[in-house]
Amino acid sequence: MVFLLMGGPRDGQLVDDLPRGYAVRSSGSRGPAMTLFDDLVVEEAVWQGPWGL
């Protein structure tokens, strides 16, 4: 899985391992995942702070 980091010190980065302090955004109006380019599916992960959840 690829994650798009939202907020925090790594805002806007695409990563394949979810770093400490970020949590996967629960499904909402945009859905749980989105497609970038033709075949790259990503999930948003939002900044929760340096200690995580």
Side-chain angles (χ1 to χ4, degrees):
M1 179 57 63
V2 176
F3 301 99
L4 173 61
L5 304 181
M6 305 297 288
R10 298 180 66 181
D11 185 46
Q13 290 183 0
L14 290 172
V15 298
D16 58 358
D17 290 319
L18 195 59
R20 178 180 220 125
Y22 287 89
V24 176
R25 178 177 284 184
S26 60
S27 56
S29 61
R30 292 180 67 180
M34 66 184 116
T35 303
L36 295 179
F37 309 112
D38 287 332
D39 60 353
L40 181 63
V41 177
V42 300
E43 288 195 53
E44 287 185 355
V46 294
W47 177 244
Q48 301 293 313
W51 298 282
L53 297 173

